[in-house]
Amino acid sequence: MRDPYEPLDRWHKQYPKEGDEPCKCGSRQHPKYPTAEHGRGSQWLAPYRAPSDPPEKIRKPAYEHYDEAKKFLAETLTDIGRGAWVDPEAGKVLAVTLAEEWLGWIKKKHGVQNTVNTYTTHARVYIIPFLGRRTAGSLRRPDTNAFVDVLTEKLEREEISATYLQQVFKTWRIWVNWLVDEKEVPLPANVVQRIRLPEADEREPYDYTPEEVERLAAAIEPRYEIMVWMAACGGLREGEGFGMLKERIDFLRRRWFVKEQRQQGKAVKTKTKSSMAWVSVDAFLLGKIAAHLAAGYDKPEPVKHDTELRRQRRQARGEWAPPVDEGLIVTNPQGRPLRRSVFNKAWNEAKRKAGVGKDARFHDLKGFYSTTLARSRQHDPKTVQRLSRHSRFEETWDTYVRAGEEGEEVTVTAFTVAFVGDGAEAAAS
C-alpha cells in the first residue's frame, strides 16, 4: 500500500512492463523506466483528496523537486487531519463571482430586507466595479486601501458623504470576512484591519418641537398623516407604521401590539425582539387613529367609472388583481401596503411645506416620543425604556432622549439633604 505522505514520480513507472527499456536516470542496481511524460513539466506529484471532494477526485499538484512535494503533503495532510485545511482552489475564483454569490447568500440568510437592499446597492455600485478581474485569493491590504482611495475621491467630489463612505467600507469588510469564513478563501488576516478612513461628523438627531410635529401632520398628504402621529406619539419606526394592523389595537385598554414591520410591501420581523411588545398608547393617538379609519384612509381611493372598467378587463385577462384587505392602518391609494419610496416622497414634500429643517428625519420622531415621555416626569426611566421598546437602557437615554436645557434649570438639593437636613431645611437655607 502506498504511503500517503510519499510523492509520486510522474516521469518514471512504478510498475514497468516486461520489455520496457530503462532510462539514464537510474542505475544498474536501481533502474528507472520512463513514462510518456518523461522530461515534461514538473516531475513530482503530491496526490491527496480534499475533505469536500468526492472519493473519485484526487488532487495532484506538481513540483519540480521531491522535497517540495514531500513538504506540501506533510503540511496538507496534517491540516486535513486537524480540520484546519483551506482549499487553495477557492482563491482562484474571480472576486466578482463570489461577490454575486454573497449577495444571493445574504438574501437567503438575512431577515431584514432594508439591510439586504443596502448591501446590494453597495456591492453593485461600488464593490463589484472596483474588483474588475481580480481573483478572490489575490486580495491584499493594498487592495482595501485602493478601494478606500476610490471612495475618498467620490467624497472629495461630494458624490458621497463621509458617513456613507464608512457604511460602504463596512459592507466591504463584511464581504471579505465572508470570503474567509464561508468560502475558506486563503486571505491574510490584515486585509481589512486598521484601515484609516476619513472622519465623519456624528449626526445630531433632530429635536422636534410639538409645533413642528403639528405642522408636519397638517402638511403631509391626509392619507399619510397618521404615520406622523404614530411615530411621534407611539414611537413607531417607519416600517412598523407600515405594518400596524387594526386588529392589534386595543382601544378599550388603550394599548397596541407591535409585532412586525413591512419592507417592500412584505411582512418581516421587527428590528429587535424588544421591538415586538404590547405597549400602552395615549388616548390622543387613539383618537387620531379612529379619525383616520373613519375617513376611510385605510381603504383604496375611489376611481372613475372608466378606470374601474379597465381594471375589470385586466382582471379578466389575469393582468390585475384587486388588493387584499390585510387590515393595515396605512395603505397606498390603491389599498396595497405602503412602500418607503412612495411615503418618502410625501414626507419630503411635507417637510418643505412645514418649514422643518432639511436634516430632520422621520426616525427622529421616535426620539421626540422618548424625549416627551422623559420630560413629562410621569414615568420612571425603566418605564420610558419599556415604552420606547429598546433592549438596552443606555440606548433610550443616550441615543433617543434629548435633555435640552433642563439640566441647567433643575434645582439640585440632594447633597444638602444628605449632609444638612431634610427638604424643608434645604429649601430654607
Side-chain angles (χ1 to χ4, degrees):
M1 185 175 181
R2 191 186 75 85
D3 183 354
Y5 288 87
E6 188 67 23
L8 286 178
D9 185 353
R10 63 186 291 268
W11 285 3
H12 302 102
K13 296 179 179 180
Q14 284 184 292
Y15 306 104
K17 297 179 180 178
E18 186 177 352
D20 286 347
E21 292 289 332
C23 63
K24 297 179 180 180
C25 300
S27 62
R28 285 186 179 180
Q29 292 79 11
H30 303 286
K32 292 185 178 182
Y33 299 88
T35 65
E37 301 296 324
H38 188 272
R40 300 177 184 176
S42 300
Q43 179 178 357
W44 297 99
L45 298 178
Y48 72 99
R49 187 176 69 83
S52 57
D53 291 344
E56 63 273 10
K57 180 178 179 180
I58 303 296
R59 303 191 185 199
K60 299 178 181 179
Y63 294 88
E64 290 186 9
H65 303 290
Y66 172 86
D67 291 341
E68 293 176 342
K70 182 76 171 179
K71 180 182 178 182
F72 171 82
L73 274 176
E75 293 176 350
T76 301
L77 295 178
T78 300
D79 286 343
I80 291 176
R82 292 189 297 122
W85 178 78
V86 175
D87 189 355
E89 296 297 321
K92 298 179 182 179
V93 181
L94 287 178
V96 291
T97 302
L98 292 182
E100 293 286 354
E101 184 177 338
W102 174 69
L103 290 177
W105 183 86
I106 284 290
K107 290 178 181 178
K108 292 180 180 179
K109 297 292 184 179
H110 210 293
V112 182
Q113 186 60 43
N114 286 348
T115 304
V116 173
N117 294 342
T118 298
Y119 289 155
T120 302
T121 299
H122 292 172
R124 297 202 182 283
V125 177
Y126 302 101
I127 296 176
I128 291 177
F130 169 79
L131 291 174
R133 301 296 296 175
R134 291 175 173 85
T135 57
S138 70
L139 293 176
R140 295 295 183 268
R141 183 183 175 86
D143 294 301
T144 298
N145 281 320
F147 179 63
V148 173
D149 289 341
V150 171
L151 296 178
T152 303
E153 291 177 2
K154 295 182 180 293
L155 173 64
E156 293 171 351
R157 295 196 298 267
E158 297 185 352
E159 295 178 11
I160 60 175
S161 65
T163 301
Y164 192 75
L165 184 152
Q166 293 181 354
Q167 293 171 349
V168 175
F169 175 77
K170 180 181 177 182
T171 302
W172 169 274
R173 187 176 66 234
I174 292 172
W175 173 66
V176 171
N177 289 333
W178 176 83
L179 292 179
V180 176
D181 297 338
E182 298 294 332
K183 303 306 293 183
E184 297 185 340
V185 175
L187 293 177
N190 66 343
V191 173
V192 292
Q193 292 181 357
R194 301 184 302 279
I195 301 297
R196 186 174 182 84
L197 301 176
E199 294 185 1
D201 295 331
E202 187 175 351
R203 176 185 175 272
E204 286 291 328
Y206 191 84
D207 193 4
Y208 288 102
T209 64
E211 292 74 22
E212 287 177 321
V213 174
E214 287 182 328
R215 293 205 304 271
L216 280 168
I220 201 167
E221 187 177 335
R223 189 176 193 86
Y224 306 137
E225 177 186 347
I226 194 61
M227 283 289 297
V228 177
W229 294 119
M230 289 196 298
C233 303
L236 292 193
R237 300 175 178 89
E238 189 178 66
E240 293 168 348
F242 296 165
M244 179 55 68
L245 302 181
K246 289 174 280 189
E247 66 182 24
R248 297 194 183 125
I249 300 178
D250 189 336
F251 285 90
L252 182 61
R253 298 182 181 180
R254 295 184 180 180
R255 62 179 188 171
W256 62 16
F257 183 46
V258 183
K259 184 179 181 181
E260 64 188 22
Q261 58 177 324
R262 290 291 174 115
Q263 294 180 359
Q264 303 296 320
K266 298 180 180 179
V268 297
K269 296 178 181 178
T270 55
K271 183 179 179 182
T272 64
K273 289 184 179 180
S274 299
S275 300
M276 187 172 65
W278 278 103
V279 181
S280 296
V281 181
D282 194 300
F284 173 81
L285 174 57
L286 294 175
K288 292 292 185 181
I289 294 175
H292 172 85
L293 298 176
Y297 290 133
D298 59 318
K299 305 294 183 183
E301 290 183 352
V303 297
K304 295 180 180 179
H305 179 67
D306 292 344
T307 302
E308 181 61 31
L309 290 178
R310 284 196 297 272
R311 285 182 175 178
Q312 291 177 5
R313 288 194 292 269
R314 290 176 60 200
Q315 183 177 359
R317 297 194 300 267
E319 299 174 356
W320 181 83
V324 178
D325 187 0
E326 300 181 59
L328 294 168
I329 296 289
V330 185
T331 63
N332 66 13
Q334 290 74 44
R336 304 184 190 277
L338 185 59
R339 292 175 179 253
R340 173 178 288 184
S341 57
V342 175
F343 176 72
N344 283 355
K345 184 176 180 181
W347 168 254
N348 291 328
E349 179 64 17
K351 283 201 306 181
R352 185 188 65 79
K353 291 181 179 179
V356 176
K358 293 182 179 179
D359 294 335
R361 297 181 181 177
F362 182 83
H363 188 70
D364 293 331
L365 289 172
K366 185 171 176 62
F368 171 85
Y369 171 78
S370 298
T371 300
T372 303
L373 287 174
R375 289 177 179 173
S376 71
R377 295 191 176 92
Q378 295 179 357
H379 312 287
D380 63 86
K382 287 297 292 183
T383 299
V384 174
Q385 175 199 349
R386 173 70 173 76
L387 291 170
S388 299
R389 296 177 295 112
H390 293 144
S391 58
R392 293 179 293 110
F393 183 82
E394 59 270 21
E395 182 180 3
T396 303
W397 292 90
D398 293 345
T399 304
Y400 286 90
V401 174
R402 267 82 75 184
E405 299 179 355
E406 291 185 356
E408 300 175 7
E409 298 174 353
V410 69
T411 301
V412 178
T413 61
F415 301 97
T416 303
V417 172
F419 294 103
V420 178
D422 60 20
E425 294 177 1
S429 63

mmCIF file of all heavy atoms in Angstrom, residues 163-178:
data_model
loop_
_atom_site.group_PDB
_atom_site.id
_atom_site.type_symbol
_atom_site.label_atom_id
_atom_site.label_comp_id
_atom_site.label_asym_id
_atom_site.label_seq_id
_atom_site.Cartn_x
_atom_site.Cartn_y
_atom_site.Cartn_z
ATOM 1 N N THR A 163 -19.962 59.706 6.137
ATOM 2 C CA THR A 163 -20.724 58.654 6.815
ATOM 3 C C THR A 163 -21.067 57.525 5.864
ATOM 4 O O THR A 163 -20.940 56.339 6.204
ATOM 5 C CB THR A 163 -22.013 59.235 7.418
ATOM 6 O OG1 THR A 163 -21.677 60.269 8.348
ATOM 7 C CG2 THR A 163 -22.812 58.165 8.142
ATOM 8 N N TYR A 164 -21.471 57.888 4.648
ATOM 9 C CA TYR A 164 -21.814 56.860 3.654
ATOM 10 C C TYR A 164 -20.571 56.080 3.249
ATOM 11 O O TYR A 164 -20.638 54.855 3.035
ATOM 12 C CB TYR A 164 -22.451 57.500 2.426
ATOM 13 C CG TYR A 164 -23.089 56.507 1.482
ATOM 14 C CD1 TYR A 164 -24.299 55.912 1.804
ATOM 15 C CD2 TYR A 164 -22.472 56.162 0.287
ATOM 16 C CE1 TYR A 164 -24.890 54.991 0.948
ATOM 17 C CE2 TYR A 164 -23.055 55.245 -0.569
ATOM 18 C CZ TYR A 164 -24.264 54.667 -0.241
ATOM 19 O OH TYR A 164 -24.835 53.748 -1.081
ATOM 20 N N LEU A 165 -19.421 56.756 3.162
ATOM 21 C CA LEU A 165 -18.168 56.063 2.855
ATOM 22 C C LEU A 165 -17.890 54.979 3.889
ATOM 23 O O LEU A 165 -17.506 53.855 3.546
ATOM 24 C CB LEU A 165 -17.014 57.067 2.797
ATOM 25 C CG LEU A 165 -15.635 56.541 2.404
ATOM 26 C CD1 LEU A 165 -14.816 57.642 1.734
ATOM 27 C CD2 LEU A 165 -14.843 56.005 3.605
ATOM 28 N N GLN A 166 -18.089 55.313 5.152
ATOM 29 C CA GLN A 166 -17.857 54.330 6.215
ATOM 30 C C GLN A 166 -18.835 53.163 6.115
ATOM 31 O O GLN A 166 -18.478 52.011 6.400
ATOM 32 C CB GLN A 166 -17.967 55.013 7.576
ATOM 33 C CG GLN A 166 -16.860 56.027 7.835
ATOM 34 C CD GLN A 166 -16.975 56.681 9.190
ATOM 35 O OE1 GLN A 166 -17.937 56.468 9.918
ATOM 36 N NE2 GLN A 166 -15.995 57.505 9.544
ATOM 37 N N GLN A 167 -20.063 53.429 5.694
ATOM 38 C CA GLN A 167 -21.046 52.354 5.544
ATOM 39 C C GLN A 167 -20.659 51.411 4.408
ATOM 40 O O GLN A 167 -20.790 50.185 4.535
ATOM 41 C CB GLN A 167 -22.430 52.954 5.290
ATOM 42 C CG GLN A 167 -22.992 53.722 6.474
ATOM 43 C CD GLN A 167 -24.260 54.477 6.130
ATOM 44 O OE1 GLN A 167 -24.624 54.600 4.961
ATOM 45 N NE2 GLN A 167 -24.945 55.000 7.130
ATOM 46 N N VAL A 168 -20.167 51.982 3.284
ATOM 47 C CA VAL A 168 -19.738 51.149 2.159
ATOM 48 C C VAL A 168 -18.528 50.304 2.561
ATOM 49 O O VAL A 168 -18.441 49.118 2.226
ATOM 50 C CB VAL A 168 -19.409 52.017 0.930
ATOM 51 C CG1 VAL A 168 -18.843 51.157 -0.202
ATOM 52 C CG2 VAL A 168 -20.650 52.747 0.443
ATOM 53 N N PHE A 169 -17.594 50.919 3.294
ATOM 54 C CA PHE A 169 -16.424 50.151 3.744
ATOM 55 C C PHE A 169 -16.834 49.026 4.690
ATOM 56 O O PHE A 169 -16.251 47.942 4.651
ATOM 57 C CB PHE A 169 -15.426 51.075 4.449
ATOM 58 C CG PHE A 169 -14.253 50.322 5.034
ATOM 59 C CD1 PHE A 169 -13.236 49.865 4.221
ATOM 60 C CD2 PHE A 169 -14.195 50.040 6.386
ATOM 61 C CE1 PHE A 169 -12.166 49.150 4.741
ATOM 62 C CE2 PHE A 169 -13.133 49.323 6.921
ATOM 63 C CZ PHE A 169 -12.117 48.877 6.088
ATOM 64 N N LYS A 170 -17.832 49.262 5.517
ATOM 65 C CA LYS A 170 -18.328 48.211 6.408
ATOM 66 C C LYS A 170 -18.848 47.030 5.593
ATOM 67 O O LYS A 170 -18.611 45.861 5.944
ATOM 68 C CB LYS A 170 -19.437 48.768 7.303
ATOM 69 C CG LYS A 170 -20.026 47.737 8.263
ATOM 70 C CD LYS A 170 -21.140 48.350 9.099
ATOM 71 C CE LYS A 170 -21.771 47.296 10.004
ATOM 72 N NZ LYS A 170 -22.899 47.864 10.805
ATOM 73 N N THR A 171 -19.552 47.305 4.491
ATOM 74 C CA THR A 171 -20.031 46.234 3.624
ATOM 75 C C THR A 171 -18.857 45.469 3.013
ATOM 76 O O THR A 171 -18.874 44.233 2.927
ATOM 77 C CB THR A 171 -20.926 46.811 2.507
ATOM 78 O OG1 THR A 171 -22.028 47.505 3.102
ATOM 79 C CG2 THR A 171 -21.457 45.710 1.607
ATOM 80 N N TRP A 172 -17.827 46.202 2.575
ATOM 81 C CA TRP A 172 -16.614 45.568 2.042
ATOM 82 C C TRP A 172 -16.002 44.632 3.093
ATOM 83 O O TRP A 172 -15.633 43.495 2.788
ATOM 84 C CB TRP A 172 -15.612 46.642 1.630
ATOM 85 C CG TRP A 172 -14.226 46.155 1.318
ATOM 86 C CD1 TRP A 172 -13.208 45.947 2.211
ATOM 87 C CD2 TRP A 172 -13.691 45.809 0.040
ATOM 88 N NE1 TRP A 172 -12.073 45.509 1.577
ATOM 89 C CE2 TRP A 172 -12.341 45.399 0.246
ATOM 90 C CE3 TRP A 172 -14.204 45.794 -1.246
ATOM 91 C CZ2 TRP A 172 -11.514 45.005 -0.809
ATOM 92 C CZ3 TRP A 172 -13.373 45.398 -2.294
ATOM 93 C CH2 TRP A 172 -12.060 45.005 -2.070
ATOM 94 N N ARG A 173 -15.902 45.102 4.325
ATOM 95 C CA ARG A 173 -15.307 44.300 5.398
ATOM 96 C C ARG A 173 -16.136 43.043 5.672
ATOM 97 O O ARG A 173 -15.588 41.959 5.862
ATOM 98 C CB ARG A 173 -15.183 45.142 6.668
ATOM 99 C CG ARG A 173 -14.416 44.437 7.792
ATOM 100 C CD ARG A 173 -14.240 45.339 8.985
ATOM 101 N NE ARG A 173 -15.514 45.638 9.614
ATOM 102 C CZ ARG A 173 -15.955 46.868 9.842
ATOM 103 N NH1 ARG A 173 -15.234 47.919 9.488
ATOM 104 N NH2 ARG A 173 -17.123 47.055 10.426
ATOM 105 N N ILE A 174 -17.460 43.189 5.668
ATOM 106 C CA ILE A 174 -18.336 42.033 5.892
ATOM 107 C C ILE A 174 -18.153 41.006 4.787
ATOM 108 O O ILE A 174 -18.090 39.798 5.038
ATOM 109 C CB ILE A 174 -19.809 42.489 5.980
ATOM 110 C CG1 ILE A 174 -20.029 43.312 7.261
ATOM 111 C CG2 ILE A 174 -20.762 41.309 5.937
ATOM 112 C CD1 ILE A 174 -21.385 43.972 7.333
ATOM 113 N N TRP A 175 -18.037 41.483 3.536
ATOM 114 C CA TRP A 175 -17.860 40.565 2.413
ATOM 115 C C TRP A 175 -16.517 39.836 2.491
ATOM 116 O O TRP A 175 -16.455 38.615 2.278
ATOM 117 C CB TRP A 175 -17.956 41.332 1.101
ATOM 118 C CG TRP A 175 -17.613 40.504 -0.094
ATOM 119 C CD1 TRP A 175 -18.305 39.425 -0.575
ATOM 120 C CD2 TRP A 175 -16.478 40.656 -0.945
ATOM 121 N NE1 TRP A 175 -17.672 38.902 -1.687
ATOM 122 C CE2 TRP A 175 -16.553 39.638 -1.932
ATOM 123 C CE3 TRP A 175 -15.423 41.562 -0.988
ATOM 124 C CZ2 TRP A 175 -15.591 39.509 -2.934
ATOM 125 C CZ3 TRP A 175 -14.470 41.430 -1.991
ATOM 126 C CH2 TRP A 175 -14.559 40.410 -2.940
ATOM 127 N N VAL A 176 -15.442 40.550 2.807
ATOM 128 C CA VAL A 176 -14.124 39.921 2.911
ATOM 129 C C VAL A 176 -14.130 38.875 4.021
ATOM 130 O O VAL A 176 -13.578 37.774 3.862
ATOM 131 C CB VAL A 176 -13.027 40.982 3.154
ATOM 132 C CG1 VAL A 176 -11.695 40.312 3.490
ATOM 133 C CG2 VAL A 176 -12.869 41.869 1.925
ATOM 134 N N ASN A 177 -14.751 39.181 5.145
ATOM 135 C CA ASN A 177 -14.835 38.195 6.227
ATOM 136 C C ASN A 177 -15.647 36.973 5.805
ATOM 137 O O ASN A 177 -15.350 35.845 6.217
ATOM 138 C CB ASN A 177 -15.453 38.839 7.474
ATOM 139 C CG ASN A 177 -14.521 39.829 8.129
ATOM 140 O OD1 ASN A 177 -13.300 39.720 8.015
ATOM 141 N ND2 ASN A 177 -15.066 40.819 8.809
ATOM 142 N N TRP A 178 -16.673 37.190 4.974
ATOM 143 C CA TRP A 178 -17.460 36.066 4.451
ATOM 144 C C TRP A 178 -16.603 35.180 3.557
ATOM 145 O O TRP A 178 -16.737 33.946 3.580
ATOM 146 C CB TRP A 178 -18.657 36.601 3.682
ATOM 147 C CG TRP A 178 -19.500 35.564 3.019
ATOM 148 C CD1 TRP A 178 -20.498 34.806 3.576
ATOM 149 C CD2 TRP A 178 -19.435 35.145 1.636
ATOM 150 N NE1 TRP A 178 -21.061 33.972 2.639
ATOM 151 C CE2 TRP A 178 -20.427 34.151 1.444
ATOM 152 C CE3 TRP A 178 -18.645 35.537 0.557
ATOM 153 C CZ2 TRP A 178 -20.632 33.540 0.215
ATOM 154 C CZ3 TRP A 178 -18.849 34.916 -0.671
ATOM 155 C CH2 TRP A 178 -19.831 33.936 -0.833
#
